[in-house]
Amino acid sequence: MNIAENLKRIKAEIPEEVTLVAISKTKPEKDILAAYEAGQRIFGENKIQEMTEKWEKLPKDIEWHMVGHVQRNKVKYMAEFVELIHAVDSLKLLKEIEKQAAKYDRTINCLLQIKIAEEDTKYGINVDEVESILQSEAYRKMTHVKVVGLMGMATFTENEEQIKEEFSFLSTTFEDLKSRYNSFTILSMGMSGDYKIAIDCGSTMIRVGSSIFGERNYQ
Ligand SMILES: *Cc1c(COP(=O)(O)O)cnc(C)c1O
């Protein structure tokens, strides 16, 4: 696997306005540096501790995104540096992010994760819950958290029609919210296996891991 070549190939394939987040979970620092030297600056991780350790050691102009499920008691470890949290799924979690971001006098951008896949193992909330969070007084009073869009993961399947339907649903929902909430700018959908479909359906941000860094080895 040549990381620089993989990146170059993917960059050439995607429209300029689509942001590429390189998902570096489980990968060593040398792999991240290889991507960094090829010009990549946005990296995503799914474990807070792992991301924090990498942030401490790696160049400070890297923009770190948390793409995994977030436990409230761990928000404090990333509040100093995280740029975007992709998978927020409750007002309670937003409140904790607000509290921790305030300590650093920062504003942390967040996406709300909508459940579009059929698998029970995937996280996320429904459209009504998104609306109720955005309209809540608690959220409206927050000054250190900004919900800037939506994130979603399609079902893990070979059935491209199903993936397309799930992404299209998310995209329609995003466009509707965007017309009413002017903070909405980001639609995060698409991974190695389905980012082309996601872009066709209107994704503005894709999260690609194995197509850049190779298969992950979980021991
Ligand atoms: C691991 C992960 C990705 C990247 O997956 P690949 O299939 O390796 O591209 C994207 N999004 C989330 C939330 C992930 O956990």
Side-chain angles (χ1 to χ4, degrees):
M1 270 279 167
N2 185 316
I3 292 168
E5 273 173 25
N6 293 341
L7 260 176
K8 201 171 143 194
R9 193 191 62 241
I10 294 167
K11 282 288 222 186
E13 267 172 18
I14 66 177
E16 226 176 309
E17 62 275 12
V18 172
T19 304
L20 171 64
V21 183
I23 305 298
S24 50
K25 63 190 185 198
T26 79
K27 297 295 175 182
E29 280 143 31
K30 71 167 175 40
D31 288 5
I32 298 175
L33 281 172
Y36 180 89
E37 274 149 28
Q40 182 66 24
R41 290 294 178 274
I42 308 177
F43 292 88
E45 292 280 334
N46 73 338
K47 295 215 165 65
I48 293 173
Q49 189 182 340
E50 184 177 341
M51 181 173 74
T52 304
E53 284 166 10
K54 288 172 174 172
W55 165 69
E56 281 167 356
K57 290 185 196 147
L58 289 162
K60 285 294 171 285
D61 61 342
I62 288 179
E63 193 179 292
W64 291 101
H65 290 196
M66 173 45 54
V67 301
H69 185 68
V70 175
Q71 284 173 280
R72 264 180 292 147
N73 61 355
K74 290 188 179 159
V75 172
K76 55 178 177 283
Y77 302 116
M78 64 175 169
E80 186 180 351
F81 67 93
V82 68
E83 280 292 329
L84 181 64
I85 301 176
H86 286 236
V88 175
D89 60 359
S90 71
L91 184 58
K92 256 183 164 175
L93 177 56
L94 276 183
K95 285 178 181 169
E96 179 63 16
I97 298 168
E98 165 77 14
K99 180 176 150 195
Q100 298 301 332
K103 291 185 182 166
Y104 297 97
D105 199 23
R106 302 184 66 222
T107 299
I108 297 180
N109 292 323
C110 296
L111 304 176
L112 296 175
Q113 179 174 7
I114 293 195
K115 186 178 187 306
I116 52 174
E118 65 184 14
E119 296 121 324
D120 289 336
T121 50
K122 289 197 172 140
Y123 291 100
I125 55 181
N126 64 35
V127 182
D128 289 344
E129 290 168 302
V130 167
E131 290 270 11
S132 100
I133 289 173
L134 294 172
Q135 285 172 17
S136 68
E137 202 182 332
Y139 171 65
R140 270 130 64 99
K141 278 194 197 147
M142 291 181 190
T143 52
H144 299 279
V145 160
K146 196 164 141 194
V147 175
V148 295
L150 301 177
M151 180 269 212
M153 289 169 91
T155 302
F156 187 72
T157 172
E158 302 271 285
N159 183 346
E160 295 203 353
E161 274 310 308
Q162 181 178 356
I163 297 172
K164 210 162 146 185
E165 269 173 36
E166 292 171 355
F167 282 154
S168 298
F169 168 76
L170 188 60
S171 182
T172 305
T173 305
F174 172 72
E175 290 301 330
D176 171 45
L177 291 166
K178 192 179 164 195
S179 70
R180 292 181 290 119
Y181 296 94
N182 55 23
S183 65
F184 267 57
T185 54
I186 299 174
L187 176 57
S188 167
M189 60 183 198
M191 324 198 334
S192 292
D194 57 21
Y195 70 84
K196 287 173 196 157
I197 304 174
I199 291 171
D200 286 342
C201 293
S203 172
T204 73
M205 183 174 274
I206 58 174
R207 310 177 309 272
V208 180
S210 42
S211 290
I212 299 173
F213 297 106
E215 293 302 320
R216 284 175 295 274
N217 240 326
Y218 293 100
Q219 257 113 27

